[in-house]
Amino acid sequence: MKVAVTGAAGQLGRALVSLLGLRTAWAGGRDELDVTDPAAIARVLDRVHPDVVINAAAFNDVDGAEAAPGPAMAVNAVAVGHLARACRERGAVLVHVSSDYVFDGAKREPYREEDCPRPLNTYGVSKLAGCLLVADAGGPHLIVRTSGVFGPGGNRVKGGSFVERIIARARAGQALRVVADQVFSPTYAPDLAAALVALMDRGTRGLVHVTNCGSCSWHELATAALELAGVRATVEAIGSRELGAPARRPSYSVLANERARAAGLAPLRLWREALAEFLRGNG
Ligand SMILES: NC(=O)c1ccc[n+]([C@@H]2O[C@H](COP(=O)([O-])OP(=O)(O)OC[C@H]3O[C@@H](n4cnc5c(N)ncnc54)[C@H](OP(=O)(O)O)[C@@H]3O)[C@@H](O)[C@H]2O)c1
């Protein structure tokens, strides 16, 4: 099976490329393939002839999307539609990644795939639109919804993953104030990549939720990261209103993973175990 990976320079993209190894027929970041350029997509697919395209490209600046929706809609929605049609026309399977932020957080038990999405912010709207465009293209596809991705190197635009930024700020002696009223399942990029490839290899189709097990708030994640990294610092728990971020976020966005289990995927380990491994690797 020949696999092409777009957005290969991101957290998930890097984990996928390192896991797939020689199965990667092509992998590129934005410099090699800007997914908003349909002609460039066609050129790569016609040259590489992949059986599967994994789209790890995304515009993930949730607050930035609130001020300027254009780039989020272009990358997370319109480009995904182009990719889906290009894949369908060439008989390739599209594996795409979506977000827990398609939900409004009103539920107090894990969101299932069939729950009605109701995004609270522009980023969530753009991710939902991308999924609808994949379905609309009518080709074979797998969409994996996940949440709170962290991993080595993190997100370039944000300057590392949340975990890395918290530890760096604590080490620099900066005050730490982190929201305690948004609950989700932190997900380790290499674990997500392994699950995605396992589902791909099983030929799973449709929409599937995949996260590490367990859930916590950003405040609990920050506290656990500092404890596991051996950094002594106080993290003040604040509310989302107090933080006043431009984009509203769901207060609860834990995703139920039963469909992934039914598809034969073993439960991913607890987020705290994955975090410990990540921090051991990052010294
Ligand atoms: N991170 C999270 O907490 C989270 C939560 C839920 C779901 N997800 C989803 O999980 C997937 C993987 O996210 P991630 O954490 O790996 O994100 P990431 O680290 O931000 O990686 C996304 C990559 O896409 C690239 N990209 C942006 N615009 C592009 C374009 N026009 N053409 C090609 N590449 C482009 C980015 O490049 P630049 O760095 O140059 O912009 C970046 O390398 C995404 O679908 C995301 O929406 C993430």
Side-chain angles (χ1 to χ4, degrees), residues 6-14 28-31 33-37 55-61 74-76 79 96-101 123 127 144-150 154-158 189 192 218:
T6 62
Q11 291 189 100
L12 176 63
R14 290 191 301 270
R30 187 208 296 259
D31 291 346
L33 173 60
D34 182 337
V35 293
T36 62
D37 179 350
N55 181 33
F59 182 94
N60 281 331
D61 179 355
V75 178
N76 297 340
H96 179 59
V97 187
S98 188
S99 165
D100 55 330
Y101 280 9
Y123 167 81
K127 294 298 289 184
V144 171
R145 267 199 205 125
T146 191
S147 65
V149 181
F150 66 94
N155 169 290
R156 185 191 62 81
V157 176
K158 296 176 187 167
L192 175 62
W218 292 102

Side-chain angles (χ1 to χ4, degrees), residues 8 69 92 94 112 164 186 195 224 231 235 244:
L94 176 64
R112 304 172 67 88
E164 292 164 311
V231 180
V235 187

